[in-house]
Amino acid sequence: MLITFKSKAAAEIVMYKEHARRILDLLHKDVEQGIITTAELPAAIASIEAAIAESKIHSVSTEVAHDVNMHHNATDDENEHEKPVTVSFATRAFPVLEMLQAAQKMQKDVVWGV
């Protein structure tokens, strides 16, 4: 399922619900439908910036890296896949953060699910 973030301050952002959920959980918002008002924007921006900074400190755990490497070094016929590239939280959250910053600058709300 997809989520579309909308604001009169920026272009729409379409994101998978599972990826948007982590961002919206930080803001204590429902993933199905919601609004970030102009009054909520400073705190929302600060929360996402803090989560991005935290995510950059902690790299992918060695367990996850080991599991990925084991799967892709298997001797069955699926071992010719390229290794998957992990997309960081910072990369996924950045477009939403930019939208929130633009919305704050122009004093516009951000909505989704409407």
Side-chain angles (χ1 to χ4, degrees), residues 32-44:
E32 297 300 325
Q33 183 178 29
I35 184 169
I36 301 171
T37 64
T38 55
E40 296 172 313
L41 285 169

Side-chain angles (χ1 to χ4, degrees), residues 13-31:
I13 298 170
V14 178
M15 181 179 285
Y16 284 112
K17 186 185 291 187
E18 63 192 67
H19 300 144
R21 184 179 315 277
R22 181 165 178 206
I23 296 166
L24 294 172
D25 283 349
L26 285 171
L27 308 177
H28 308 288
K29 297 289 185 177
D30 181 40
V31 74

